[in-house]
Amino acid sequence: MGGRVRARWAVAALGCTGLLCAVLGAVMIGTLPAITRQQVYKNVRIDPSSLSFGMWKEIPVPFYLSIYFFDVINPKEILQGKKPEVQERGPYVYREFRHKSNITFNDNDTVSFLEYRSFQFQPDRSRGSESDYIVMPNILVLGASVMMENKPMALKLLMTLAFSTLGERAFMNRTVGDIMWGYEDPLVHVINKYFPSMFPVKGKFGLFAGLNNSDSGLFTVFTGVKDFSRVHLVDKWNGLSKVNFWHSDQCNMINGTSGQMWAPFMTPESSLEFYSPEACRSMKLIYQEEGMFEGIPIFRFKAPNTLFASGTDYPPNEGFCPCLRSGIQNISTCRFNAPLFLSHPHFYNADPVLAEAVLGLHPNETEHSLFLDIHPLTGIPMNCSVKLQLSLYIKSIKGIGQTAQIEPVVLPLLWFEERGAMEGEPLRTFYIQLVLLPKVLHYAQYILLALGCVLLFIPVVYQLRSQGPEDTKSQPSPAAQPDRLPSPFTPLLQESLSRQPTSPKA
């Protein structure tokens, strides 16, 4: 008797546990997505209390800037009108350090900041040293010559004399360090002395001299605290809602983010848009594919074929023209009117005529396309590789002897890759909190519901099995009744029958 009572209590306990598990699992299935969205909203906005604020302020991802120079092999032949031939040199790799300062929260749900960058050469990652010599076009001479093409002949002859006096030539042979961070040039001093407002460089002239230990401009972006739909979007850059470098309102618009984080809950229909101060324009990347990075689900975004397309091939880009060819962007209007062009490395995805005009170029998608891998739930970049090329348009200018017989050509100067990938402790923390824990909770809700249903089924089975045999014994068939043992009530029935009168004998 005691064992049966204990069994009933155990079954009842299992039933209660099953009910609790089933209810908890059902509640989790109904509320967990909403709770997850709420937590993501809370922790990806730009707010000192959010989990991602420290990551936004001090980017934990190590960035590396890799420079590949195009060493000109035949400078003398180019001056005679021959086709240029180049050899790729590098990479020369620099560790890039970034940090934000002057962080100011404004009343209109925005935050303003300056982001400073500094670079440190990495010999162990580089193929060569900063003391390597590179032959490349003299940007000051050839760039200024093209800019003077439509000026009076007397002025061009005077420029030829100035170049000769100062010992300036069409091509130069300088070290990587000089080309990157600057070198003393007498032409710069002459220009600054007699034309102080013509040239922005006051000291050394270098392609990256203005980037080291400097900021990329004052960004003002939306925090998403009051209006999450605008989180990370740029409100203004250097106080401007749009730039004035280009020839259409659409091209001058400042769209997207500052290029560090994007809005969460991305879909394959999402796009990545950001403003690049170096390119003086907004850029949009499109979804390519879904994948994994170190166990973390990502969406890969790539540059569309229309990013640097000419206005003829892609009308919305008409504002960036005049365009020499499709696939290269004229950035002279934001680079002191120097005939500089931006493109993918080796003129990848550009008009084939451009690569065919220079020997030594081999464009291919694997080595020369750019991409960003984004965690779609949070909009945080996991892995990125931005590759761009800087080229100079050169040609013979009548009246300027240094340009000799140079045939018109867009000559690559260098291409660079900015690459960064989350790693180490930040990667492990990100994986545990935003991948492993949500995955455990996702499976736990269904496991609880299934376990609850199983435990609820146990009392039902027990009840059916305990009632079945008793019902069979308490309701025997009529054929079996004569063999049944007398019940306690049988004597009373027999006594009442014995008292009835008997019939007389015949």
Side-chain angles (χ1 to χ4, degrees):
M1 186 69 179
R4 175 172 290 185
V5 171
R6 285 194 296 272
R8 287 178 178 175
W9 276 109
V11 170
L14 289 175
C16 292
T17 304
L19 180 62
L20 181 62
C21 290
V23 170
L24 182 59
V27 170
M28 288 179 66
I29 291 174
T31 60
L32 193 58
I35 294 174
T36 301
R37 294 184 70 90
Q38 183 180 8
Q39 288 300 310
V40 170
Y41 285 144
K42 179 181 178 181
N43 289 304
V44 302
R45 63 189 185 183
I46 305 175
D47 184 81
S49 64
S50 71
L51 292 177
S52 64
F53 182 76
M55 182 184 299
W56 173 83
K57 182 180 178 182
E58 299 285 346
I59 299 177
V61 176
F63 277 91
Y64 293 93
L65 176 68
S66 300
I67 308 293
Y68 298 81
F69 289 96
F70 291 102
D71 191 15
V72 179
I73 296 176
N74 59 340
K76 294 180 179 179
E77 287 77 6
I78 295 174
L79 293 173
Q80 296 171 4
K82 302 292 180 62
K83 181 183 289 189
E85 183 176 359
V86 297
Q87 180 182 10
E88 185 178 281
R89 300 272 301 275
Y92 298 91
V93 182
Y94 296 83
R95 174 74 161 85
E96 183 176 348
F97 299 91
R98 300 183 181 186
H99 72 277
K100 292 181 176 66
S101 65
N102 293 26
I103 300 174
T104 305
F105 286 90
N106 306 310
D107 295 332
N108 62 341
D109 197 30
T110 63
V111 59
S112 301
F113 62 90
L114 292 171
E115 183 173 71
Y116 286 88
R117 292 178 295 180
S118 60
F119 300 90
Q120 188 177 68
F121 186 64
Q122 306 289 299
D124 57 321
R125 291 175 173 263
S126 302
R127 190 176 299 172
S129 68
E130 286 191 304
S131 60
D132 291 348
Y133 277 86
I134 305 290
V135 176
M136 66 186 307
N138 188 330
I139 301 174
L140 294 174
V141 172
L142 295 180
S145 299
V146 173
M147 294 166 62
M148 297 292 293
E149 182 176 13
N150 298 319
K151 299 297 182 181
M153 180 59 70
L155 190 57
K156 288 188 280 188
L157 292 174
L158 183 61
M159 178 172 283
T160 299
L161 179 61
F163 287 159
S164 300
T165 304
L166 297 172
E168 298 286 350
R169 297 181 178 181
F171 291 88
M172 61 182 186
N173 187 18
R174 293 192 178 274
T175 65
V176 169
D178 287 343
I179 297 171
M180 287 288 296
W181 311 118
Y183 55 89
E184 297 288 346
D185 195 299
L187 181 60
V188 174
H189 296 293
V190 170
I191 293 175
N192 287 330
K193 182 177 181 179
Y194 296 102
F195 309 97
S197 60
M198 178 181 176
F199 201 55
V201 178
K202 303 304 179 185
K204 294 182 177 181
F205 175 77
L207 293 177
F208 287 79
L211 295 181
N212 200 17
N213 298 314
S214 64
D215 64 84
S216 55
L218 181 66
F219 274 98
T220 302
V221 303
F222 288 95
T223 64
V225 174
K226 297 179 181 178
D227 184 2
F228 193 81
S229 65
R230 308 185 74 179
V231 64
H232 298 302
L233 294 179
V234 176
D235 179 36
K236 293 181 179 179
W237 175 74
N238 282 341
L240 302 172
S241 299
K242 64 177 183 178
V243 295
N244 58 358
F245 300 123
W246 314 111
H247 309 298
S248 71
D249 290 337
Q250 182 177 358
C251 293
N252 280 321
M253 292 176 64
I254 298 177
N255 298 323
T257 72
S258 60
Q260 297 170 354
M261 295 177 69
W262 283 266
F265 306 112
M266 291 182 170
T267 67
E269 288 70 38
S270 302
S271 61
L272 291 189
E273 199 162 11
F274 60 95
Y275 179 74
S276 170
E278 290 74 26
C280 309
R281 57 166 290 188
S282 298
M283 295 185 177
K284 179 186 286 188
L285 306 185
I286 59 174
Y287 173 86
Q288 180 182 11
E289 61 186 359
E290 187 175 354
M292 300 289 289
F293 173 76
E294 301 294 340
I296 299 173
I298 54 93
F299 282 176
R300 171 159 291 189
F301 293 84
K302 67 171 186 176
N305 296 338
T306 57
L307 182 62
F308 296 122
S310 66
T312 303
D313 293 343
Y314 186 61
N317 282 356
E318 185 64 40
F320 295 124
C321 293
C323 305
L324 287 179
R325 294 282 181 177
S326 190
I328 57 175
Q329 181 186 327
N330 188 339
I331 59 172
S332 59
T333 53
C334 74
R335 288 292 178 264
F336 331 118
N337 291 319
L340 294 170
F341 288 82
L342 199 64
S343 69
H344 294 295
H346 287 244
F347 297 122
Y348 164 72
N349 215 10
D351 191 328
V353 172
L354 293 165
E356 293 169 359
V358 180
L359 298 175
L361 300 183
H362 309 285
N364 69 81
E365 181 178 3
T366 303
E367 296 182 11
H368 303 137
S369 61
L370 63 85
F371 68 85
L372 268 73
D373 292 339
I374 308 295
H375 183 231
L377 180 65
T378 60
I380 296 176
M382 296 287 103
N383 181 30
C384 64
S385 174
V386 178
K387 304 171 184 177
L388 295 172
Q389 175 177 291
L390 187 65
S391 304
L392 179 69
Y393 178 60
I394 62 175
K395 62 185 293 189
S396 175
I397 302 298
K398 187 177 180 181
I400 302 180
Q402 282 74 14
T403 61
Q405 302 174 28
I406 299 175
E407 288 293 320
V409 65
V410 180
L411 188 61
L413 302 175
L414 59 85
W415 71 272
F416 62 88
E417 177 189 24
E418 267 191 307
R419 190 179 191 103
M422 191 175 288
E423 59 184 32
E425 188 60 32
L427 179 64
R428 287 190 290 272
T429 302
F430 190 95
Y431 176 79
I432 292 172
Q433 294 185 354
L434 293 170
V435 177
L436 185 60
L437 183 59
K439 187 180 292 186
V440 170
L441 292 176
H442 174 76
Y443 288 116
Q445 60 188 0
Y446 294 105
I447 292 174
L448 285 172
L449 182 61
L451 180 63
C453 292
V454 171
L455 294 178
L456 282 174
F457 188 65
I458 292 176
V460 175
V461 173
Y462 177 83
Q463 188 68 17
L464 290 175
R465 294 190 64 181
S466 62
Q467 289 182 357
E470 291 182 1
D471 291 344
T472 303
K473 291 180 181 180
S474 62
Q475 297 179 7
S477 62
Q481 288 182 7
D483 298 334
R484 186 177 61 183
L485 293 175
S487 69
F489 299 101
T490 302
L492 294 175
L493 180 60
Q494 290 177 345
E495 183 179 354
S496 62
L497 289 174
S498 65
R499 291 178 180 177
Q500 293 182 1
T502 58
S503 57
K505 295 182 181 179

mmCIF file of all heavy atoms in Angstrom, residues 20-40:
data_model
loop_
_atom_site.group_PDB
_atom_site.id
_atom_site.type_symbol
_atom_site.label_atom_id
_atom_site.label_comp_id
_atom_site.label_asym_id
_atom_site.label_seq_id
_atom_site.Cartn_x
_atom_site.Cartn_y
_atom_site.Cartn_z
ATOM 1 N N LEU A 20 5.582 22.522 -15.823
ATOM 2 C CA LEU A 20 6.439 23.703 -15.670
ATOM 3 C C LEU A 20 7.384 23.844 -16.872
ATOM 4 O O LEU A 20 7.549 24.948 -17.417
ATOM 5 C CB LEU A 20 7.237 23.578 -14.366
ATOM 6 C CG LEU A 20 8.176 24.753 -14.037
ATOM 7 C CD1 LEU A 20 7.377 26.022 -13.855
ATOM 8 C CD2 LEU A 20 8.989 24.440 -12.789
ATOM 9 N N CYS A 21 7.986 22.727 -17.296
ATOM 10 C CA CYS A 21 8.908 22.770 -18.437
ATOM 11 C C CYS A 21 8.181 23.173 -19.712
ATOM 12 O O CYS A 21 8.691 23.967 -20.509
ATOM 13 C CB CYS A 21 9.572 21.413 -18.627
ATOM 14 S SG CYS A 21 10.763 20.983 -17.340
ATOM 15 N N ALA A 22 7.007 22.605 -19.933
ATOM 16 C CA ALA A 22 6.245 22.916 -21.142
ATOM 17 C C ALA A 22 5.847 24.391 -21.179
ATOM 18 O O ALA A 22 5.966 25.063 -22.217
ATOM 19 C CB ALA A 22 5.007 22.032 -21.224
ATOM 20 N N VAL A 23 5.386 24.898 -20.027
ATOM 21 C CA VAL A 23 4.988 26.311 -19.974
ATOM 22 C C VAL A 23 6.211 27.207 -20.185
ATOM 23 O O VAL A 23 6.159 28.186 -20.950
ATOM 24 C CB VAL A 23 4.318 26.629 -18.622
ATOM 25 C CG1 VAL A 23 4.128 28.134 -18.458
ATOM 26 C CG2 VAL A 23 2.988 25.913 -18.524
ATOM 27 N N LEU A 24 7.336 26.866 -19.538
ATOM 28 C CA LEU A 24 8.546 27.672 -19.683
ATOM 29 C C LEU A 24 9.043 27.648 -21.131
ATOM 30 O O LEU A 24 9.437 28.684 -21.683
ATOM 31 C CB LEU A 24 9.631 27.151 -18.738
ATOM 32 C CG LEU A 24 10.966 27.924 -18.742
ATOM 33 C CD1 LEU A 24 10.733 29.372 -18.361
ATOM 34 C CD2 LEU A 24 11.960 27.268 -17.781
ATOM 35 N N GLY A 25 9.040 26.463 -21.759
ATOM 36 C CA GLY A 25 9.458 26.363 -23.159
ATOM 37 C C GLY A 25 8.562 27.172 -24.081
ATOM 38 O O GLY A 25 9.046 27.873 -24.980
ATOM 39 N N ALA A 26 7.248 27.091 -23.859
ATOM 40 C CA ALA A 26 6.306 27.844 -24.700
ATOM 41 C C ALA A 26 6.495 29.347 -24.521
ATOM 42 O O ALA A 26 6.452 30.114 -25.488
ATOM 43 C CB ALA A 26 4.881 27.436 -24.356
ATOM 44 N N VAL A 27 6.715 29.760 -23.264
ATOM 45 C CA VAL A 27 6.932 31.188 -22.991
ATOM 46 C C VAL A 27 8.213 31.669 -23.668
ATOM 47 O O VAL A 27 8.257 32.754 -24.266
ATOM 48 C CB VAL A 27 6.981 31.452 -21.482
ATOM 49 C CG1 VAL A 27 7.454 32.872 -21.191
ATOM 50 C CG2 VAL A 27 5.619 31.227 -20.862
ATOM 51 N N MET A 28 9.257 30.848 -23.602
ATOM 52 C CA MET A 28 10.528 31.221 -24.243
ATOM 53 C C MET A 28 10.371 31.335 -25.753
ATOM 54 O O MET A 28 10.897 32.260 -26.372
ATOM 55 C CB MET A 28 11.613 30.206 -23.896
ATOM 56 C CG MET A 28 12.100 30.264 -22.464
ATOM 57 S SD MET A 28 13.357 29.007 -22.100
ATOM 58 C CE MET A 28 14.694 29.571 -23.150
ATOM 59 N N ILE A 29 9.648 30.397 -26.361
ATOM 60 C CA ILE A 29 9.425 30.450 -27.807
ATOM 61 C C ILE A 29 8.683 31.714 -28.193
ATOM 62 O O ILE A 29 8.967 32.345 -29.221
ATOM 63 C CB ILE A 29 8.649 29.199 -28.271
ATOM 64 C CG1 ILE A 29 9.536 27.954 -28.135
ATOM 65 C CG2 ILE A 29 8.179 29.345 -29.711
ATOM 66 C CD1 ILE A 29 8.818 26.657 -28.421
ATOM 67 N N GLY A 30 7.752 32.129 -27.344
ATOM 68 C CA GLY A 30 6.966 33.314 -27.663
ATOM 69 C C GLY A 30 7.663 34.628 -27.376
ATOM 70 O O GLY A 30 7.419 35.621 -28.056
ATOM 71 N N THR A 31 8.559 34.630 -26.369
ATOM 72 C CA THR A 31 9.133 35.907 -25.934
ATOM 73 C C THR A 31 10.615 36.065 -26.249
ATOM 74 O O THR A 31 11.115 37.189 -26.283
ATOM 75 C CB THR A 31 8.950 36.073 -24.414
ATOM 76 O OG1 THR A 31 9.625 34.991 -23.730
ATOM 77 C CG2 THR A 31 7.471 36.048 -24.043
ATOM 78 N N LEU A 32 11.351 34.956 -26.475
ATOM 79 C CA LEU A 32 12.800 35.055 -26.665
ATOM 80 C C LEU A 32 13.193 35.928 -27.854
ATOM 81 O O LEU A 32 14.121 36.741 -27.741
ATOM 82 C CB LEU A 32 13.405 33.663 -26.810
ATOM 83 C CG LEU A 32 14.933 33.596 -26.709
ATOM 84 C CD1 LEU A 32 15.415 34.152 -25.370
ATOM 85 C CD2 LEU A 32 15.430 32.162 -26.889
ATOM 86 N N PRO A 33 12.539 35.810 -29.024
ATOM 87 C CA PRO A 33 12.907 36.709 -30.135
ATOM 88 C C PRO A 33 12.766 38.179 -29.777
ATOM 89 O O PRO A 33 13.631 38.989 -30.131
ATOM 90 C CB PRO A 33 11.933 36.296 -31.250
ATOM 91 C CG PRO A 33 11.568 34.889 -30.931
ATOM 92 C CD PRO A 33 11.532 34.819 -29.440
ATOM 93 N N ALA A 34 11.674 38.522 -29.072
ATOM 94 C CA ALA A 34 11.470 39.930 -28.698
ATOM 95 C C ALA A 34 12.526 40.379 -27.688
ATOM 96 O O ALA A 34 13.040 41.504 -27.772
ATOM 97 C CB ALA A 34 10.068 40.111 -28.115
ATOM 98 N N ILE A 35 12.867 39.494 -26.743
ATOM 99 C CA ILE A 35 13.898 39.837 -25.748
ATOM 100 C C ILE A 35 15.250 40.021 -26.425
ATOM 101 O O ILE A 35 16.007 40.945 -26.116
ATOM 102 C CB ILE A 35 13.975 38.747 -24.663
ATOM 103 C CG1 ILE A 35 12.676 38.724 -23.850
ATOM 104 C CG2 ILE A 35 15.172 38.976 -23.749
ATOM 105 C CD1 ILE A 35 12.609 37.593 -22.844
ATOM 106 N N THR A 36 15.554 39.130 -27.394
ATOM 107 C CA THR A 36 16.824 39.239 -28.127
ATOM 108 C C THR A 36 16.913 40.554 -28.879
ATOM 109 O O THR A 36 17.940 41.244 -28.838
ATOM 110 C CB THR A 36 16.960 38.066 -29.115
ATOM 111 O OG1 THR A 36 16.918 36.830 -28.395
ATOM 112 C CG2 THR A 36 18.274 38.160 -29.883
ATOM 113 N N ARG A 37 15.844 40.909 -29.569
ATOM 114 C CA ARG A 37 15.836 42.177 -30.315
ATOM 115 C C ARG A 37 16.016 43.357 -29.368
ATOM 116 O O ARG A 37 16.770 44.293 -29.666
ATOM 117 C CB ARG A 37 14.529 42.334 -31.095
ATOM 118 C CG ARG A 37 14.350 41.324 -32.215
ATOM 119 C CD ARG A 37 13.077 41.596 -32.997
ATOM 120 N NE ARG A 37 13.197 42.811 -33.788
ATOM 121 C CZ ARG A 37 13.642 42.850 -35.033
ATOM 122 N NH1 ARG A 37 14.050 41.740 -35.630
ATOM 123 N NH2 ARG A 37 13.704 43.999 -35.683
ATOM 124 N N GLN A 38 15.350 43.290 -28.222
ATOM 125 C CA GLN A 38 15.451 44.389 -27.266
ATOM 126 C C GLN A 38 16.881 44.523 -26.746
ATOM 127 O O GLN A 38 17.412 45.628 -26.608
ATOM 128 C CB GLN A 38 14.486 44.164 -26.102
ATOM 129 C CG GLN A 38 14.469 45.297 -25.091
ATOM 130 C CD GLN A 38 13.492 45.037 -23.953
ATOM 131 O OE1 GLN A 38 12.936 43.953 -23.834
ATOM 132 N NE2 GLN A 38 13.303 46.024 -23.094
ATOM 133 N N GLN A 39 17.541 43.390 -26.462
ATOM 134 C CA GLN A 39 18.910 43.424 -25.969
ATOM 135 C C GLN A 39 19.881 43.935 -27.038
ATOM 136 O O GLN A 39 20.818 44.676 -26.734
ATOM 137 C CB GLN A 39 19.325 42.031 -25.496
ATOM 138 C CG GLN A 39 18.665 41.601 -24.192
ATOM 139 C CD GLN A 39 18.989 42.539 -23.046
ATOM 140 O OE1 GLN A 39 20.142 42.867 -22.804
ATOM 141 N NE2 GLN A 39 17.962 42.989 -22.338
ATOM 142 N N VAL A 40 19.643 43.528 -28.296
ATOM 143 C CA VAL A 40 20.499 44.021 -29.385
ATOM 144 C C VAL A 40 20.320 45.524 -29.545
ATOM 145 O O VAL A 40 21.298 46.277 -29.674
ATOM 146 C CB VAL A 40 20.186 43.281 -30.704
ATOM 147 C CG1 VAL A 40 20.901 43.952 -31.871
ATOM 148 C CG2 VAL A 40 20.605 41.829 -30.605
#
